[in-house]
Amino acid sequence: MTASRTTYGSGTMVSEQPEPIDPYIRRGPGTLTAHLTASAEALRNLRSDTRQVLTGAGVTEDSVQIAQLALSELVGNAVRACGDGVPLIVDVRVGAEDVLIGVTDPEPTRLPRADSPVLGNADAESGRGLDILRLLCKSVDVEATGICKQVRCLIYLP
């Protein structure tokens, strides 16, 4: 455990933060499921694992790159909604006609927004990701429950 100190007014609160644990990853033919704590290193490894699973299933390089972009965008959105170190579940599945990329986080009320006016705004610094995915993917959708949400992209296979 690592200790972090947070100062509130005149007092300091010390809280124990668990060390990030290695992700639980299950691989199968054309599938990858990972339970992980969000971090830059975890995302790098996940992108690499996703590439291996997809290329092993015969997915084209263009579709692999779109899948990696979708993965990065969805994990980034989860971190923006929940904060660094959020626990995530990532699903990657190759189907007959498409690839599913799904990211589940524990925050059901902070839903990603798409169709925002920033797509055409050259001065905007963020807010384009889901709109770009909607252009590149067959579909992008969100399913929220009382305890979590999953954001999914379906990527066309040629």
Side-chain angles (χ1 to χ4, degrees):
M1 293 249 184
T2 58
S4 66
R5 297 187 185 278
T6 306
T7 303
Y8 296 99
S10 61
T12 300
M13 182 176 95
V14 177
S15 63
E16 295 293 321
Q17 298 292 325
E19 294 289 333
I21 58 172
D22 289 333
Y24 167 79
I25 298 176
R26 183 175 38 196
R27 293 176 186 85
T31 66
L32 170 71
T33 302
H35 296 244
L36 57 100
T37 301
S39 69
E41 180 182 2
L43 180 58
R44 271 192 305 277
N45 293 337
L46 195 56
R47 286 174 53 92
S48 176
D49 290 344
T50 297
R51 171 175 287 285
Q52 289 176 350
V53 166
L54 296 181
T55 55
V59 174
T60 66
E61 178 62 23
D62 286 344
S63 295
V64 169
Q65 288 181 6
I66 292 169
Q68 289 181 308
L69 173 68
L71 184 64
S72 295
E73 180 60 28
L74 299 184
V75 169
N77 283 350
V79 169
R80 279 186 286 287
C82 302
D84 290 331
V86 62
L88 301 175
I89 302 170
V90 176
D91 289 310
V92 177
R93 301 188 188 283
V94 179
E97 298 177 1
D98 46 42
V99 172
L100 168 76
I101 304 291
V103 174
T104 302
D105 71 53
E107 180 47 71
T109 62
R110 297 202 55 203
L111 302 177
R113 292 185 337 213
D115 302 325
S116 60
V118 299
L119 190 58
N121 181 350
D123 295 329
E125 294 182 9
S126 65
R128 296 179 180 87
L130 284 179
D131 289 329
I132 291 170
L133 290 181
R134 287 189 192 281
L135 294 172
L136 295 173
C137 298
K138 188 176 184 178
S139 67
V140 177
D141 66 6
V142 179
E143 181 179 342
T145 69
I147 59 169
C148 67
K149 74 172 169 289
Q150 183 182 54
V151 185
R152 296 179 294 262
C153 295
L154 284 177
I155 299 161
Y156 294 105
L157 287 177

